[in-house]
């Protein structure tokens, strides 16, 4: 999570149940959810991380969206970028 969020990298994990993978997830995440796959789109304006779009799925390979749907989610994220952090 930290690397994806700090670098503004989009992240899709298709199977959190792969042997050994759960150790790469933060403990707080493992305790908070039983998602089998997830999508993370950081909102990272030049001033620093201000949020994220996150979707989790109960099944492995849960995201079945089309490239067009993913493009729309990224466009939504890009619309949030000019807002910047709260209080500005």
């Amino acid at each position: 999570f930290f690397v994806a969020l700090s670098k503004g990298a989009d992240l899709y994990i298709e199977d959190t149940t792969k042997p050994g993978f759960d150790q790469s997830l933060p403990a707080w995440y493992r305790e908070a959810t039983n998602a089998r796959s997830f999508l993370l789109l950081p909102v990272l304006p030049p001033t620093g991380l201000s949020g994220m779009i996150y979707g989790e799925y109960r099944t492995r390979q849960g995201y079945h969206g089309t490239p067009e749907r993913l493009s729309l989610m990224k466009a939504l994220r890009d619309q949030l970028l000019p807002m910047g952090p709260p209080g500005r």
Side-chain angles (χ1 to χ4, degrees):
F1 276 83
F2 176 75
V3 173
L5 293 174
S6 64
K7 296 189 181 287
D10 300 341
L11 179 65
Y12 173 60
I13 301 298
E14 66 180 23
D15 186 358
T16 62
T17 65
K18 285 184 180 178
F21 183 78
D22 64 334
Q23 296 304 312
S24 65
L25 294 170
W28 61 263
Y29 181 84
R30 292 191 312 265
E31 293 170 6
T33 184
N34 62 354
R36 298 296 180 243
S37 58
F38 64 88
L39 175 68
L40 177 70
L41 303 174
V43 178
L44 187 66
T47 56
L49 181 69
S50 64
M52 66 180 157
I53 297 173
Y54 170 82
E56 68 178 37
Y57 309 94
R58 294 180 182 172
T59 61
R60 289 172 281 166
Q61 300 175 341
Y63 177 73
H64 297 290
T66 62
E68 292 80 17
R69 184 178 291 173
L70 182 58
S71 179
L72 288 171
M73 286 193 291
K74 289 181 178 184
L76 172 63
R77 183 257 320 268
D78 293 344
Q79 292 295 316
L80 298 171
L81 289 174
M83 291 175 26
R88 290 200 62 175

